[in-house]
Amino acid sequence: MPSDQEPTHLAAMKGDGFYNRHSAMQTTGIAALLPLWEAACRTVVVGEGPMTIVDYGCSQGRNSMIPMRVAIEALRLRSGVPIEVVHTDLPSNDFSALFEVLASDLNSYMNDASEVFPSAIGRSYFEALFPPQRVGLAWTTWALQWMSVSTIEAPDHILAGMSSEASVVAAVREQQAKDWELFLTLRSREMRPGAKLLAGFTARTANATGWEWLLGELWAAVCDMATEGWLSEPERKRLTIPIGLRTLAEIERPFAEAGVFAGLALDHLELVKLADPCWEDFERSGDASAFAKRYADMTQAWCAPMIASLVAPFREPTAFLAELFARFEQRLSERPRRHEPYMAAVVLSKRA
Ligand SMILES: C[S@@+](CC[C@H](N)C(=O)[O-])C[C@H]1O[C@@H](n2cnc3c(N)ncnc32)[C@H](O)[C@@H]1O
């Protein structure tokens, strides 16, 4: 249910390049999106002037290098226009890691680029980021499951979108519907006629998310700590990560009546079940500790700063986080399972 406390600001990913080093699961999802992205880049309208590609919710950039390279190569087969690549994220994002990757990563799309101009914006994409009709191609992965605000408290799960409490389910659904429509409306204004947007984000079937094992263990670790006095009951409730998982029907809803929403047409919508990037190694080695460490690090990478900001009003977060993630890792090593989350793959185009 909605909290009566001040909303906590959304926190970006764990800094100092930690997310870049621990995001193999997200990389797997991106690989699954590349054929759709390449098709969008081959068919998008390319004008005379510079082409603007935007990477909304870029984090520290490593996972954006291949998709941006794919886009640049597809465009270069058709045109020599200057290309600007703009990476956007929250103001608290570790943009230094992004610029390091651009300068020195083996996969940097800048390595052999000509007439390609990268830059970055530190501002939420729930605000306008560009003048009207500036954007030609837009990419966003693993970001749109985050809600625009953190006001919902779930008594029975660490992830707002995995609560079974009816009032929480309804509040998440309402917030996610509003956020999706706002995101679409803002992007549509920024996109030029014929522009395309590809979005990949955490989603669900009616009954499953694919996160039941991983986040069930994280929640169990929180509950153990609450039982042992690390958290009071109100603190445990407040510890709710503002993420919701949409069904395909919820994603499609704004387009349902007219086929178009805010000038955007829904060209493609699909639910993809991802393979576990760590399971083969685990089967080969049988090393449950190494498997658990990889998942504990990958989980910390995306949620530790948010958890820190949710507990910070009550306690010093560093020791709390160390204890929580040690317990989480231990639980994962005792009960290793395949992690196969669902991802929505969405392609939109701006009507001419
Ligand atoms: C899991 S990371 C994904 C990073 C990268 N796109 C990838 O696929 O690996 C999610 C990113 O979305 C960003 N994000 C969440 N809400 C956002 C918002 N309202 N505006 C801009 N970025 C946001 C987070 O800060 C984070 O960097």
Side-chain angles (χ1 to χ4, degrees):
M1 92 195 37
S3 150
D4 44 14
Q5 310 214 26
E6 278 292 294
T8 306
H9 282 296
L10 286 194
M13 306 295 96
K14 188 165 173 174
D16 291 328
F18 193 91
Y19 178 81
N20 270 348
R21 295 190 296 281
H22 301 287
S23 48
M25 187 212 72
Q26 290 86 343
T27 313
T28 305
I30 286 170
L33 294 171
L34 288 179
L36 278 174
W37 177 235
E38 197 180 351
C41 300
R42 272 194 274 106
T43 51
V44 68
V45 173
V46 182
E48 303 279 298
M51 180 71 165
T52 301
I53 309 175
V54 184
D55 173 21
Y56 294 98
C58 60
S59 188
Q60 297 157 16
R62 193 187 66 106
N63 280 345
S64 301
M65 294 301 122
I66 302 287
M68 294 304 112
R69 175 181 288 279
V70 164
I72 291 162
E73 287 175 1
L75 292 172
R76 277 289 168 259
L77 292 176
R78 302 170 58 200
S79 163
V81 294
I83 296 172
E84 60 170 350
V85 182
V86 187
H87 302 274
T88 84
D89 209 291
L90 296 170
S92 56
N93 183 51
D94 177 4
F95 283 103
S96 299
L98 164 77
F99 289 115
E100 278 298 321
V101 168
L102 279 171
S104 50
D105 194 274
L106 283 178
N107 284 324
S108 169
Y109 60 81
M110 288 306 290
N111 286 344
D112 41 15
S114 88
E115 290 295 293
V116 177
F117 303 92
S119 61
I121 297 175
R123 193 169 186 209
S124 168
Y125 51 53
F126 290 115
E127 297 175 61
L129 299 180
F130 296 92
Q133 304 201 359
R134 164 86 166 270
V135 177
L137 270 171
W139 165 267
T140 177
T141 49
W142 296 107
L144 285 169
Q145 67 276 1
W146 285 91
M147 291 187 261
S148 59
V149 285
S150 131
T151 48
I152 296 171
E153 293 186 349
D156 59 338
H157 210 288
I158 192 160
L159 208 81
M162 290 180 79
S163 171
S164 306
E165 179 96 3
S167 61
V168 176
V169 173
V172 169
R173 203 171 276 155
E174 190 185 334
Q175 188 62 53
Q176 288 291 64
K178 274 192 204 154
D179 286 350
W180 181 226
E181 293 199 1
L182 177 60
F183 180 84
L184 294 171
T185 305
L186 290 166
R187 298 300 75 81
S188 178
R189 281 188 205 137
E190 293 169 355
M191 288 163 70
R192 59 198 204 193
K196 292 189 185 258
L197 183 154
L198 183 146
F201 51 93
T202 310
R204 62 179 302 154
T205 69
N207 309 314
T209 65
W211 292 84
E212 284 78 7
W213 165 67
L214 196 69
L215 296 184
E217 295 296 356
L218 187 58
W219 178 239
V222 169
C223 293
D224 284 350
M225 286 176 73
T227 306
E228 291 171 32
W230 284 78
L231 288 168
S232 67
E233 194 47 34
E235 287 168 355
R236 188 181 72 151
K237 253 180 96 185
R238 182 143 173 82
L239 192 43
T240 305
I241 300 173
I243 280 183
L245 300 97
R246 299 177 182 91
T247 61
L248 290 192
E250 286 164 350
I251 296 167
E252 200 172 9
R253 193 151 297 140
F255 304 91
E257 237 168 67
V260 175
F261 178 79
L264 293 175
L266 182 61
D267 295 343
H268 184 93
L269 176 62
E270 182 188 355
L271 193 64
V272 183
K273 189 175 193 188
L274 297 178
D276 185 325
C278 308
W279 191 255
E280 257 183 43
D281 277 356
F282 169 57
E283 282 200 316
R284 210 176 303 116
S285 68
D287 188 343
S289 302
F291 179 76
K293 168 107 177 76
R294 285 184 77 185
Y295 270 109
D297 283 347
M298 274 195 267
T299 308
Q300 275 204 62
W302 63 264
C303 72
M306 190 69 225
I307 293 177
S309 64
L310 288 166
V311 299
F314 306 106
R315 62 193 65 252
E316 200 288 305
T318 313
F320 178 86
L321 280 178
E323 181 68 25
L324 174 62
F325 280 98
R327 286 170 184 244
F328 174 55
E329 189 175 325
Q330 179 66 28
R331 296 187 73 95
L332 297 181
S333 71
E334 287 164 4
R335 281 169 287 273
R337 301 270 186 284
R338 277 179 204 270
H339 176 57
E340 295 178 327
Y342 288 99
M343 178 187 68
V346 185
V347 182
L348 302 161
S349 57
K350 177 76 182 281
R351 284 287 167 95

